Amino acid sequence: MTLSAGAAAGAALAACGNDGPGGSESGGGGSASYWSLSGEPGEPYRQASIDRFNKANPDSKITPTFFQNDAYKAKIKTALGANQAPTLIWGWGGGGLKSYVEAGQVEDLTSLFGDATLKGKLLPGSFGAATVDGKIYAMPVETVQPIVLYYNKKIFDQVGVSAPQTYGDILDLVPKFNAKGIAPFSLAGQSRWTNMMWLEFMLDRNAGSEVFDNVFAGKAGSWSDPAVLDMLTKVQDLVKMNAFQKGFASTAADTNADQALLYTGKAAMMVHGSWSYGIQKAQGGKFVPDGGLGWMNFPPIDGGKGDPSNTVGNPGQYLSISSKATAADKETAKKFFSTTLVDDEEKAGWVKSGGVPVLANSDSLYTGDDAQFQKDMSAIAAGAKTFAQSWDQALSPTAAEVLLDNIAKLFQLQVTPQQWVDNMNGVIGK
Amino acid sequence: MTTLAPPAVRGQEPTRSRGGRSGSVLVWMVLPAFVMFVFFGIVPLLGVVLLSFATWNGITPTIQLTGLTSWKAALTNPGLVNALWVTFLIMALSWLVQTPLSILLGTFMARQSRYRGFLAVFYFIPLLLSSAAIAITYKSLLDPNFGLGAGLGIEALNQDWLGQANLAIATLIFVVSWQFIPFHSLIYQGAVRQIPQSMYEAAQIDGAGRVRQFLNITLPQLKYTIITSSTLMVVGSLTFFDLIWVLTAGGPGDATRALAVQMYQLGFQASLMGPASAIAVILVLVGIGLSLLLRRLGGRADESQMEGV
């Protein structure tokens, strides 16, 4: 027996604003709504491309609304369930997109990308997370975002140490910074996905990419690899030796407090996505322009099986079109995809933000102050044997929530490595 | 606030002739509130009960009714015991901290005092603020790296307030008390003013001091107010969500993950609407059960104290 979710929820929400797909009021062109993330470094460039499109297409209009990261993830799901989704749905691809596809909420864009000139403008590696059962349901947009190890060069000089080449070096550095009253690593533990970035690298460098590939494929007992236990023990050892700042469990990433710790010199290092560069440039005053920020791929772990060139993170961001939108709104969205989002100004904008655009042939644009960072990120993304998608985005929302919950408990020493493995084996394939 | 109970009209013969007309007027006056209550109270509640017997990820257009599957999932969830424990811990601690302080403050403010005007304005400010705003403010003040302690260089203030399990619970109770004690002292202030002055005069003649007067007159006279205020506190603590969510997000680990937070995480983060609805139903049942229990404890709490009624 089934009932219509739209009937109850839709009726209750019908009176609540006109952000949904039914919000089109103009006559000829569509008026697509667009939801995305707020804040530096992305929001100004998202806004800029929408302004550009609206100016070039006077009879169509895209209206954006921006939300904070964690709030957005909940908001977009609720809106989809209530049939009040925006025309343009911003996301991370992977497991989240898969659940939208299974619910019939997003438009199949395979035919749009059947056009080789459009597809050819985007990096080929970015389409994996947009593809479900061989069909493309989202357009890769914005930037390629590998996760890297950042460090504060001024603090390193002050303490008289050099950047770590191996995980063993990191372990040696921790007590040295602690002795000077500087947190070795900044971590926004309350947000949980930040802790997850550590686990992604620790697992990859210890055990290679196979363990997570098996988890992603739904193979039973995948977490039972002995290398996983070893990696989890290493993470808890880091917590026990105070590798993270005091109060890391109550630091939230939404306010960029973790970034502030690094650029104010209260912390020496930080594992974070490449988007962090733009945040530190925008908020850290002279820190980035003065060459205070250093970066590198996560170093190899002694005796680990993983290829040190591997990386993890976001192979792109993704824009889908709501299947519930009107035909006119869908046309507006598709026009936005095939014109504004692949034009030269879009590419230049994301380069200016300090990121590596998901648009092909960007290398010649890396000439300004951020050139070195962008060349390095581009090289990491292109040179990686495996570019693993962030775990919480690759998995289904149900499995991802259990994963994030257990990761938070692992960092709080509330679960043992063995309990962690058992808990996580319990939700494989869910 | 038993004094607000409407005067009973039993046995009043003269009113009977007017009964029909005032009755129908009464119905029309109640109707808008009643319609609102049905539409925004009862209908969603029934929807949640229905959802708890279904399996839904929150985004598919159709909902599968799957009997007790979601209830089984909710009741066997390893986090449920912890969430229940955290909920009752927050409830008990916030009652224990708030009640004595509210009674003392309420009694203090009920007396004639030239500071009362100042207090009335200054002290009730927390009542005007939303929980989210309060939580954001405290979160910033308590930050061990950028907060008050670090800013002023006061080591004692510079604790990991929200990052350690016991401290996080204690901090939460403090913030809850800061927010709600003004409201409860207001209730007590009103109740203390209702106590006949003659009782205190008699006690003074008998030579009772202030403490004795408080223990033997004020406290017993506040019995029904204590029950009302406690019911509001206890049932209200079940609904704490915004404050916990912004302050700790249920963390560190699951140390402050009360039932309402658990419900949100299951429903909106793990996309398990069925088990989340089951928890919501449990919350409603616990709330109703506790209110009934408190009424029982207070004896005939609905009996009016007004003379001759």
Side-chain angles (χ1 to χ4, degrees), chain A residues 1-3 5 74 77-78 80-81 99-100 103 105 190 192 245-247 250 261 266 397-398 401 405 409 412 414, chain B residues 56 58-65 139 144-146 158 160 162-163 247-248 252-254 257 264 268-271:
Chain A
M1 185 183 171
T2 62
L3 19 123
K77 268 188 248 174
T78 317
L80 281 164
S99 68
Y100 301 167
Q105 296 279 7
Q190 195 183 89
R192 309 188 299 178
Q245 88 274 11
K246 187 176 177 182
S250 61
L261 282 163
K266 288 178 195 282
T398 306
E401 176 57 24
D405 185 25
K409 285 181 181 162
Q412 273 315 105
Q414 278 186 357
Chain B
W56 188 41
I59 54 174
T60 44
T62 53
I63 299 170
Q64 294 291 128
L65 284 182
K139 193 168 163 53
N145 299 294
F146 299 105
N158 202 1
D160 188 4
L162 297 167
L247 269 183
T248 65
D254 56 6
R257 191 181 300 159
Y264 176 82
F268 294 99
Q269 295 193 322
S271 293

Tab-separated table of all heavy atoms in Angstrom, chain A residues 1-3 5 74 77-78 80-81 99-100 103 105 190 192 245-247 250 261 266 397-398 401 405 409 412 414, chain B residues 56 58-65 139 144-146 158 160 162-163 247-248 252-254 257 264 268-271:
chain	number	residue	atom	x	y	z
A	1	MET	N	0.846	-1.201	0.000
A	1	MET	CA	0.000	0.000	0.000
A	1	MET	C	0.886	1.257	0.000
A	1	MET	O	1.884	1.327	0.685
A	1	MET	CB	-0.868	-0.028	1.262
A	1	MET	CG	-1.876	1.086	1.319
A	1	MET	SD	-2.788	1.019	2.865
A	1	MET	CE	-3.656	2.559	2.764
A	2	THR	N	0.532	2.199	-0.810
A	2	THR	CA	1.320	3.422	-0.851
A	2	THR	C	0.419	4.635	-0.719
A	2	THR	O	-0.766	4.567	-1.008
A	2	THR	CB	2.080	3.543	-2.191
A	2	THR	OG1	1.121	3.611	-3.229
A	2	THR	CG2	3.011	2.390	-2.430
A	3	LEU	N	0.997	5.718	-0.247
A	3	LEU	CA	0.247	6.966	-0.272
A	3	LEU	C	1.107	8.054	-0.858
A	3	LEU	O	2.323	7.943	-0.901
A	3	LEU	CB	-0.242	7.377	1.119
A	3	LEU	CG	0.374	6.807	2.354
A	3	LEU	CD1	0.883	7.912	3.222
A	3	LEU	CD2	-0.721	6.053	3.092
A	5	ALA	N	3.114	11.202	-0.933
A	5	ALA	CA	3.769	12.119	0.002
A	5	ALA	C	3.429	13.552	-0.339
A	5	ALA	O	3.278	14.390	0.513
A	5	ALA	CB	5.271	11.922	-0.056
A	74	ALA	N	20.151	19.418	4.665
A	74	ALA	CA	18.844	19.025	5.204
A	74	ALA	C	17.719	19.712	4.431
A	74	ALA	O	16.712	19.103	4.096
A	74	ALA	CB	18.763	19.381	6.688
A	77	LYS	N	16.763	18.221	0.914
A	77	LYS	CA	16.042	16.947	0.985
A	77	LYS	C	14.578	17.176	1.347
A	77	LYS	O	13.687	16.562	0.777
A	77	LYS	CB	16.688	16.042	2.040
A	77	LYS	CG	17.747	15.123	1.441
A	77	LYS	CD	18.195	14.121	2.480
A	77	LYS	CE	19.611	14.382	2.887
A	77	LYS	NZ	20.073	13.541	3.974
A	78	THR	N	14.353	18.056	2.312
A	78	THR	CA	12.982	18.349	2.729
A	78	THR	C	12.192	18.941	1.570
A	78	THR	O	11.042	18.570	1.336
A	78	THR	CB	12.990	19.362	3.890
A	78	THR	OG1	14.007	18.983	4.797
A	78	THR	CG2	11.673	19.389	4.603
A	80	LEU	N	12.723	18.560	-1.641
A	80	LEU	CA	12.454	17.535	-2.650
A	80	LEU	C	11.268	16.672	-2.228
A	80	LEU	O	10.378	16.377	-3.019
A	80	LEU	CB	13.691	16.652	-2.847
A	80	LEU	CG	14.808	17.220	-3.714
A	80	LEU	CD1	16.089	16.446	-3.504
A	80	LEU	CD2	14.416	17.200	-5.172
A	81	GLY	N	11.249	16.272	-0.940
A	81	GLY	CA	10.178	15.416	-0.442
A	81	GLY	C	8.829	16.100	-0.507
A	81	GLY	O	7.797	15.452	-0.659
A	99	SER	N	20.153	8.830	-4.769
A	99	SER	CA	18.859	8.744	-4.089
A	99	SER	C	17.828	9.673	-4.747
A	99	SER	O	16.650	9.335	-4.800
A	99	SER	CB	19.005	9.033	-2.593
A	99	SER	OG	19.347	10.373	-2.374
A	100	TYR	N	18.273	10.823	-5.285
A	100	TYR	CA	17.344	11.688	-6.017
A	100	TYR	C	16.855	10.971	-7.277
A	100	TYR	O	15.687	11.052	-7.642
A	100	TYR	CB	18.001	13.003	-6.460
A	100	TYR	CG	18.558	13.886	-5.366
A	100	TYR	CD1	19.399	14.946	-5.685
A	100	TYR	CD2	18.236	13.676	-4.032
A	100	TYR	CE1	19.916	15.772	-4.713
A	100	TYR	CE2	18.752	14.498	-3.051
A	100	TYR	CZ	19.601	15.538	-3.393
A	100	TYR	OH	20.117	16.351	-2.426
A	103	ALA	N	14.337	8.359	-6.660
A	103	ALA	CA	13.043	8.933	-6.308
A	103	ALA	C	12.406	9.657	-7.495
A	103	ALA	O	11.332	10.229	-7.368
A	103	ALA	CB	13.211	9.896	-5.137
A	105	GLN	N	13.374	12.378	-8.969
A	105	GLN	CA	13.289	13.811	-8.700
A	105	GLN	C	14.135	14.662	-9.645
A	105	GLN	O	13.957	15.879	-9.683
A	105	GLN	CB	13.708	14.121	-7.254
A	105	GLN	CG	12.806	13.519	-6.204
A	105	GLN	CD	11.546	14.336	-5.983
A	105	GLN	OE1	11.285	15.285	-6.696
A	105	GLN	NE2	10.757	13.955	-5.000
A	190	GLN	N	33.071	19.308	15.140
A	190	GLN	CA	31.613	19.230	15.297
A	190	GLN	C	30.920	18.945	13.965
A	190	GLN	O	29.855	18.370	13.926
A	190	GLN	CB	31.073	20.535	15.898
A	190	GLN	CG	29.660	20.388	16.407
A	190	GLN	CD	29.088	21.689	16.927
A	190	GLN	OE1	28.500	22.467	16.186
A	190	GLN	NE2	29.258	21.947	18.205
A	192	ARG	N	31.928	16.931	11.626
A	192	ARG	CA	32.102	15.501	11.351
A	192	ARG	C	32.699	15.181	9.981
A	192	ARG	O	33.579	14.346	9.899
A	192	ARG	CB	30.782	14.727	11.547
A	192	ARG	CG	30.127	15.008	12.889
A	192	ARG	CD	28.956	14.096	13.135
A	192	ARG	NE	27.935	14.277	12.107
A	192	ARG	CZ	26.810	13.588	12.052
A	192	ARG	NH1	26.579	12.654	12.945
A	192	ARG	NH2	25.932	13.814	11.114
A	245	GLN	N	43.486	20.781	18.039
A	245	GLN	CA	43.389	21.897	18.981
A	245	GLN	C	42.422	21.564	20.111
A	245	GLN	O	41.516	20.751	19.962
A	245	GLN	CB	42.971	23.186	18.259
A	245	GLN	CG	41.475	23.442	18.117
A	245	GLN	CD	40.870	22.780	16.882
A	245	GLN	OE1	41.509	21.960	16.226
A	245	GLN	NE2	39.634	23.135	16.564
A	246	LYS	N	42.635	22.253	21.218
A	246	LYS	CA	41.742	22.127	22.359
A	246	LYS	C	40.319	22.472	21.917
A	246	LYS	O	40.095	23.478	21.266
A	246	LYS	CB	42.212	23.114	23.427
A	246	LYS	CG	41.513	23.004	24.757
A	246	LYS	CD	42.178	23.990	25.704
A	246	LYS	CE	41.503	24.013	27.044
A	246	LYS	NZ	42.126	25.000	27.934
A	247	GLY	N	39.375	21.599	22.275
A	247	GLY	CA	37.992	21.886	21.923
A	247	GLY	C	37.644	21.592	20.477
A	247	GLY	O	36.676	22.126	19.965
A	250	SER	N	34.068	20.751	19.474
A	250	SER	CA	32.994	21.744	19.471
A	250	SER	C	33.237	22.834	18.433
A	250	SER	O	32.520	23.812	18.366
A	250	SER	CB	32.843	22.366	20.857
A	250	SER	OG	34.029	23.011	21.238
A	261	LEU	N	41.945	29.338	12.822
A	261	LEU	CA	43.015	28.827	13.686
A	261	LEU	C	44.329	28.758	12.931
A	261	LEU	O	45.392	29.054	13.477
A	261	LEU	CB	42.651	27.427	14.193
A	261	LEU	CG	41.649	27.383	15.336
A	261	LEU	CD1	41.060	25.991	15.485
A	261	LEU	CD2	42.328	27.795	16.632
A	266	LYS	N	47.286	29.993	15.492
A	266	LYS	CA	46.982	29.207	16.686
A	266	LYS	C	47.151	27.721	16.414
A	266	LYS	O	47.226	26.907	17.325
A	266	LYS	CB	45.558	29.486	17.167
A	266	LYS	CG	45.371	30.862	17.789
A	266	LYS	CD	43.910	31.052	18.200
A	266	LYS	CE	43.579	32.500	18.485
A	266	LYS	NZ	44.043	32.941	19.803
A	397	PRO	N	22.621	8.333	1.883
A	397	PRO	CA	22.480	9.163	3.088
A	397	PRO	C	22.407	8.328	4.372
A	397	PRO	O	22.955	8.724	5.400
A	397	PRO	CB	21.171	9.909	2.842
A	397	PRO	CG	21.030	9.970	1.362
A	397	PRO	CD	21.633	8.695	0.848
A	398	THR	N	21.746	7.170	4.323
A	398	THR	CA	21.605	6.337	5.524
A	398	THR	C	22.961	5.818	5.991
A	398	THR	O	23.317	5.921	7.171
A	398	THR	CB	20.667	5.156	5.239
A	398	THR	OG1	19.440	5.661	4.739
A	398	THR	CG2	20.416	4.349	6.495
A	401	GLU	N	25.275	8.705	7.289
A	401	GLU	CA	24.982	9.207	8.626
A	401	GLU	C	25.617	8.307	9.690
A	401	GLU	O	26.206	8.790	10.657
A	401	GLU	CB	23.468	9.317	8.821
A	401	GLU	CG	23.004	9.735	10.206
A	401	GLU	CD	23.572	11.076	10.670
A	401	GLU	OE1	23.943	11.902	9.841
A	401	GLU	OE2	23.654	11.258	11.906
A	405	ASP	N	28.543	9.495	12.227
A	405	ASP	CA	28.311	9.289	13.655
A	405	ASP	C	29.474	8.509	14.274
A	405	ASP	O	30.028	8.888	15.306
A	405	ASP	CB	26.988	8.525	13.824
A	405	ASP	CG	26.595	8.379	15.276
A	405	ASP	OD1	27.029	9.216	16.083
A	405	ASP	OD2	25.855	7.439	15.600
A	409	LYS	N	32.450	9.587	17.012
A	409	LYS	CA	32.692	8.824	18.241
A	409	LYS	C	34.127	8.306	18.295
A	409	LYS	O	34.714	8.205	19.370
A	409	LYS	CB	31.720	7.652	18.327
A	409	LYS	CG	30.314	8.071	18.702
A	409	LYS	CD	29.420	6.855	18.779
A	409	LYS	CE	27.996	7.239	19.119
A	409	LYS	NZ	27.065	6.147	18.781
A	412	GLN	N	36.200	10.974	19.530
A	412	GLN	CA	35.910	11.234	20.941
A	412	GLN	C	36.352	10.067	21.814
A	412	GLN	O	36.097	10.062	23.010
A	412	GLN	CB	34.409	11.445	21.137
A	412	GLN	CG	33.911	12.842	20.932
A	412	GLN	CD	34.768	13.893	21.597
A	412	GLN	OE1	35.506	14.591	20.929
A	412	GLN	NE2	34.682	14.013	22.915
A	414	GLN	N	34.969	7.317	21.963
A	414	GLN	CA	33.764	6.671	22.495
A	414	GLN	C	33.569	5.265	21.934
A	414	GLN	O	32.772	4.496	22.458
A	414	GLN	CB	32.516	7.499	22.158
A	414	GLN	CG	32.282	8.656	23.111
A	414	GLN	CD	30.966	9.362	22.822
A	414	GLN	OE1	30.254	9.031	21.885
A	414	GLN	NE2	30.638	10.340	23.642
B	56	TRP	N	10.031	5.525	4.446
B	56	TRP	CA	10.105	6.627	3.486
B	56	TRP	C	11.451	7.305	3.641
B	56	TRP	O	11.891	7.536	4.765
B	56	TRP	CB	8.957	7.628	3.760
B	56	TRP	CG	8.819	8.697	2.728
B	56	TRP	CD1	8.931	8.565	1.375
B	56	TRP	CD2	8.535	10.085	2.963
B	56	TRP	NE1	8.729	9.762	0.760
B	56	TRP	CE2	8.484	10.717	1.700
B	56	TRP	CE3	8.313	10.845	4.104
B	56	TRP	CZ2	8.231	12.070	1.549
B	56	TRP	CZ3	8.052	12.199	3.954
B	56	TRP	CH2	8.003	12.805	2.690
B	58	GLY	N	12.047	10.283	2.503
B	58	GLY	CA	11.870	11.724	2.537
B	58	GLY	C	11.782	12.371	1.178
B	58	GLY	O	11.384	13.526	1.078
B	59	ILE	N	12.175	11.674	0.108
B	59	ILE	CA	12.139	12.335	-1.199
B	59	ILE	C	11.370	11.570	-2.270
B	59	ILE	O	11.063	12.143	-3.301
B	59	ILE	CB	13.561	12.661	-1.726
B	59	ILE	CG1	14.439	11.414	-1.755
B	59	ILE	CG2	14.209	13.741	-0.923
B	59	ILE	CD1	15.779	11.651	-2.395
B	60	THR	N	11.042	10.310	-2.058
B	60	THR	CA	10.255	9.621	-3.093
B	60	THR	C	8.826	10.150	-3.050
B	60	THR	O	8.316	10.505	-1.998
B	60	THR	CB	10.206	8.103	-2.871
B	60	THR	OG1	9.971	7.861	-1.498
B	60	THR	CG2	11.465	7.428	-3.313
B	61	PRO	N	8.161	10.187	-4.210
B	61	PRO	CA	6.790	10.734	-4.227
B	61	PRO	C	5.789	9.821	-3.513
B	61	PRO	O	4.720	10.271	-3.130
B	61	PRO	CB	6.457	10.823	-5.717
B	61	PRO	CG	7.744	10.632	-6.439
B	61	PRO	CD	8.643	9.859	-5.541
B	62	THR	N	6.093	8.547	-3.362
B	62	THR	CA	5.153	7.644	-2.699
B	62	THR	C	5.752	7.116	-1.405
B	62	THR	O	6.968	6.973	-1.276
B	62	THR	CB	4.806	6.446	-3.593
B	62	THR	OG1	6.024	5.847	-4.003
B	62	THR	CG2	3.986	6.862	-4.781
B	63	ILE	N	4.861	6.825	-0.446
B	63	ILE	CA	5.295	6.322	0.859
B	63	ILE	C	4.807	4.883	1.004
B	63	ILE	O	3.633	4.596	0.774
B	63	ILE	CB	4.708	7.198	1.984
B	63	ILE	CG1	5.210	8.632	1.834
B	63	ILE	CG2	5.073	6.648	3.342
B	63	ILE	CD1	4.507	9.616	2.746
B	64	GLN	N	5.725	3.978	1.354
B	64	GLN	CA	5.340	2.580	1.553
B	64	GLN	C	4.890	2.371	2.992
B	64	GLN	O	5.659	2.626	3.910
B	64	GLN	CB	6.545	1.662	1.288
B	64	GLN	CG	7.038	1.630	-0.119
B	64	GLN	CD	6.068	0.963	-1.069
B	64	GLN	OE1	5.714	1.513	-2.093
B	64	GLN	NE2	5.609	-0.234	-0.718
B	65	LEU	N	3.679	1.873	3.187
B	65	LEU	CA	3.271	1.477	4.536
B	65	LEU	C	3.817	0.081	4.795
B	65	LEU	O	3.527	-0.855	4.061
B	65	LEU	CB	1.748	1.487	4.654
B	65	LEU	CG	1.106	2.877	4.770
B	65	LEU	CD1	-0.393	2.746	4.919
B	65	LEU	CD2	1.680	3.642	5.943
B	139	LYS	N	27.951	29.971	22.122
B	139	LYS	CA	28.961	29.175	21.426
B	139	LYS	C	30.202	30.026	21.140
B	139	LYS	O	31.325	29.560	21.312
B	139	LYS	CB	28.382	28.620	20.130
B	139	LYS	CG	29.243	27.529	19.517
B	139	LYS	CD	28.496	26.825	18.407
B	139	LYS	CE	29.450	26.037	17.532
B	139	LYS	NZ	30.314	25.121	18.267
B	144	PRO	N	37.006	27.793	23.047
B	144	PRO	CA	38.269	27.770	23.790
B	144	PRO	C	39.402	28.516	23.083
B	144	PRO	O	40.402	28.862	23.716
B	144	PRO	CB	38.591	26.281	23.924
B	144	PRO	CG	37.689	25.561	23.011
B	144	PRO	CD	36.574	26.467	22.600
B	145	ASN	N	39.271	28.766	21.788
B	145	ASN	CA	40.355	29.423	21.062
B	145	ASN	C	40.090	30.898	20.765
B	145	ASN	O	41.012	31.691	20.701
B	145	ASN	CB	40.624	28.691	19.750
B	145	ASN	CG	41.033	27.263	19.984
B	145	ASN	OD1	42.090	26.999	20.549
B	145	ASN	ND2	40.176	26.337	19.602
B	146	PHE	N	38.806	31.239	20.554
B	146	PHE	CA	38.496	32.620	20.199
B	146	PHE	C	37.492	33.252	21.165
B	146	PHE	O	37.025	34.351	20.925
B	146	PHE	CB	37.927	32.686	18.777
B	146	PHE	CG	38.877	32.189	17.730
B	146	PHE	CD1	38.688	30.951	17.130
B	146	PHE	CD2	39.972	32.949	17.347
B	146	PHE	CE1	39.572	30.484	16.166
B	146	PHE	CE2	40.848	32.490	16.383
B	146	PHE	CZ	40.647	31.248	15.794
B	158	ASN	N	38.728	29.432	30.266
B	158	ASN	CA	39.204	28.876	29.012
B	158	ASN	C	39.166	27.360	29.019
B	158	ASN	O	40.165	26.703	28.817
B	158	ASN	CB	40.620	29.389	28.750
B	158	ASN	CG	40.965	29.318	27.280
B	158	ASN	OD1	40.138	28.909	26.475
B	158	ASN	ND2	42.165	29.702	26.940
B	160	ASP	N	37.326	23.575	27.749
B	160	ASP	CA	36.744	22.995	26.547
B	160	ASP	C	35.259	22.753	26.815
B	160	ASP	O	34.803	21.619	26.887
B	160	ASP	CB	37.474	21.691	26.229
B	160	ASP	CG	37.051	21.130	24.898
B	160	ASP	OD1	36.263	21.792	24.209
B	160	ASP	OD2	37.504	20.033	24.560
B	162	LEU	N	32.309	22.907	25.416
B	162	LEU	CA	31.360	22.124	24.628
B	162	LEU	C	32.008	20.902	23.996
B	162	LEU	O	31.370	20.151	23.284
B	162	LEU	CB	30.747	23.005	23.536
B	162	LEU	CG	29.934	24.187	24.069
B	162	LEU	CD1	29.638	25.178	22.964
B	162	LEU	CD2	28.644	23.692	24.704
B	163	GLY	N	33.289	20.689	24.285
B	163	GLY	CA	34.006	19.594	23.638
B	163	GLY	C	34.212	18.375	24.523
B	163	GLY	O	34.770	17.385	24.081
B	247	LEU	N	24.394	24.621	19.674
B	247	LEU	CA	25.512	24.588	20.625
B	247	LEU	C	26.454	23.428	20.353
B	247	LEU	O	27.671	23.603	20.264
B	247	LEU	CB	24.981	24.466	22.051
B	247	LEU	CG	24.707	25.737	22.851
B	247	LEU	CD1	24.258	25.350	24.243
B	247	LEU	CD2	25.931	26.626	22.936
B	248	THR	N	25.923	22.218	20.263
B	248	THR	CA	26.795	21.033	20.223
B	248	THR	C	26.507	20.096	19.068
B	248	THR	O	27.274	19.167	18.843
B	248	THR	CB	26.637	20.206	21.509
B	248	THR	OG1	25.297	19.692	21.547
B	248	THR	CG2	26.892	21.033	22.743
B	252	PRO	N	29.798	16.375	22.181
B	252	PRO	CA	30.812	15.607	21.452
B	252	PRO	C	30.442	14.126	21.389
B	252	PRO	O	29.968	13.594	22.387
B	252	PRO	CB	32.071	15.818	22.275
B	252	PRO	CG	31.578	16.147	23.645
B	252	PRO	CD	30.286	16.872	23.463
B	253	GLY	N	30.672	13.501	20.254
B	253	GLY	CA	30.211	12.127	20.067
B	253	GLY	C	28.696	12.132	20.117
B	253	GLY	O	28.062	12.773	19.294
B	254	ASP	N	28.125	11.439	21.116
B	254	ASP	CA	26.672	11.500	21.257
B	254	ASP	C	26.281	11.948	22.659
B	254	ASP	O	25.209	11.635	23.155
B	254	ASP	CB	26.025	10.154	20.920
B	254	ASP	CG	26.579	9.022	21.760
B	254	ASP	OD1	27.380	9.306	22.675
B	254	ASP	OD2	26.213	7.863	21.515
B	257	ARG	N	23.112	14.091	22.678
B	257	ARG	CA	22.121	13.756	21.652
B	257	ARG	C	20.821	13.318	22.305
B	257	ARG	O	20.575	12.140	22.547
B	257	ARG	CB	22.660	12.674	20.722
B	257	ARG	CG	21.799	12.486	19.488
B	257	ARG	CD	22.311	11.404	18.582
B	257	ARG	NE	23.657	11.680	18.114
B	257	ARG	CZ	24.481	10.756	17.661
B	257	ARG	NH1	24.122	9.503	17.637
B	257	ARG	NH2	25.691	11.084	17.262
B	264	TYR	N	15.866	14.190	14.570
B	264	TYR	CA	16.262	15.010	13.426
B	264	TYR	C	17.335	14.304	12.595
B	264	TYR	O	17.273	14.268	11.369
B	264	TYR	CB	16.772	16.368	13.908
B	264	TYR	CG	17.291	17.241	12.800
B	264	TYR	CD1	16.416	17.993	12.028
B	264	TYR	CD2	18.650	17.299	12.513
B	264	TYR	CE1	16.881	18.788	11.001
B	264	TYR	CE2	19.127	18.096	11.480
B	264	TYR	CZ	18.245	18.833	10.733
B	264	TYR	OH	18.706	19.609	9.719
B	268	PHE	N	16.297	13.623	8.882
B	268	PHE	CA	16.755	14.547	7.858
B	268	PHE	C	18.195	14.330	7.422
B	268	PHE	O	18.617	14.849	6.409
B	268	PHE	CB	16.545	15.987	8.326
B	268	PHE	CG	15.091	16.321	8.453
B	268	PHE	CD1	14.472	16.293	9.682
B	268	PHE	CD2	14.347	16.604	7.330
B	268	PHE	CE1	13.115	16.577	9.795
B	268	PHE	CE2	12.999	16.880	7.429
B	268	PHE	CZ	12.383	16.862	8.669
B	269	GLN	N	18.976	13.595	8.207
B	269	GLN	CA	20.343	13.331	7.752
B	269	GLN	C	20.486	11.914	7.221
B	269	GLN	O	21.154	11.690	6.231
B	269	GLN	CB	21.333	13.617	8.874
B	269	GLN	CG	21.315	15.115	9.221
B	269	GLN	CD	22.461	15.550	10.080
B	269	GLN	OE1	22.883	14.824	10.972
B	269	GLN	NE2	22.961	16.737	9.856
B	270	ALA	N	19.866	10.924	7.915
B	270	ALA	CA	19.981	9.545	7.440
B	270	ALA	C	18.836	9.179	6.509
B	270	ALA	O	18.792	8.054	6.013
B	270	ALA	CB	20.030	8.595	8.626
B	271	SER	N	17.894	10.110	6.265
B	271	SER	CA	16.757	9.852	5.371
B	271	SER	C	15.913	8.666	5.811
B	271	SER	O	15.418	7.911	4.990
B	271	SER	CB	17.236	9.612	3.929
B	271	SER	OG	17.768	10.774	3.408
